Amino acid sequence: MPDPKSRGRRRKLNATSYVVLGMLSYSPATSYDLKQWVANTIGNFWAFAHSQLYDEPARLVADGLVSETVEEGGRRKRTYEILPAGREALREWLADTTADQTEVRDLGLLKLFFANFGGREDLVRLAHDRHRSHKARADSYAEQRDELVDYADRWQVKTIELGIRYERCVEQFWADFIAELEEEQP
């Protein structure tokens, strides 16, 4: 049975659809612009193939949610702009419940789970690598927050603050684990 909120749309929208609609709500953009904006903002916490940002706008045009303007001559650059129906689809999505569980895909945790089959030196290296990685990312987020705080809206700043907290928490986990390993040294 079709989603009653879809109001005749041909397909169900996905997360990438809403990324594009949300970004276009700020300003019209080309697919390249979208890729750049996403890489510097939500790409920090929502990973997906950036090639999707080149395909999805055309789908949203076909759905009647976005308009497309093609540059005459030259590279025939396509600029996309959100339509009122696209803004309404975005509002409906924002109003919908968000009960999905957070997905954690951390290669370090996966390796830690199977560490029994490796050597101690591999485990120590893993702990140090992951600690450095999460510290670097938290530091980078803190720098981004400092840059954003003067011009971004408060909800964008809140997303980066959660990123900092998450990375600091995981950084501390690995620091504690390193300390455990050092106490156990033979």
Side-chain angles (χ1 to χ4, degrees), residues 14-80:
N14 59 34
T16 304
S17 307
Y18 295 113
V19 166
V20 172
L21 291 172
M23 294 310 245
L24 292 178
S25 291
Y26 287 105
S27 169
T30 65
S31 291
Y32 179 78
D33 295 333
L34 291 170
K35 184 183 103 145
Q36 296 296 78
W37 293 348
V38 166
N40 294 318
T41 58
I42 64 173
N44 290 314
F45 59 85
W46 190 263
F48 58 94
H50 289 280
S51 61
Q52 294 173 349
L53 294 175
Y54 285 91
D55 299 332
E56 190 60 24
R59 291 186 194 112
L60 293 170
V61 168
D63 290 337
L65 303 176
V66 168
S67 67
E68 174 184 54
T69 305
V70 181
E71 181 181 71
E72 300 213 10
R75 300 179 75 202
R76 299 189 46 83
K77 180 171 62 172
R78 298 173 188 278
T79 301
Y80 301 97

Side-chain angles (χ1 to χ4, degrees), residues 83-138:
L83 295 171
R87 289 189 190 283
E88 181 59 25
L90 183 61
R91 274 192 294 276
E92 289 171 359
W93 175 69
L94 290 169
D96 201 10
T97 59
T98 309
D100 296 359
Q101 294 292 314
T102 300
E103 181 179 321
V104 177
R105 292 178 51 102
D106 186 318
L107 188 58
L109 288 179
L110 188 59
K111 286 185 171 188
L112 180 59
F113 186 85
F114 293 112
N116 224 25
F117 303 107
R120 179 174 172 76
E121 64 281 353
D122 299 326
L123 185 59
V124 170
R125 186 175 48 255
L126 171 68
H128 283 280
D129 288 349
R130 299 313 296 154
H131 178 260
R132 275 191 303 275
S133 174
H134 286 284
K135 181 182 182 331
R137 191 147 198 202

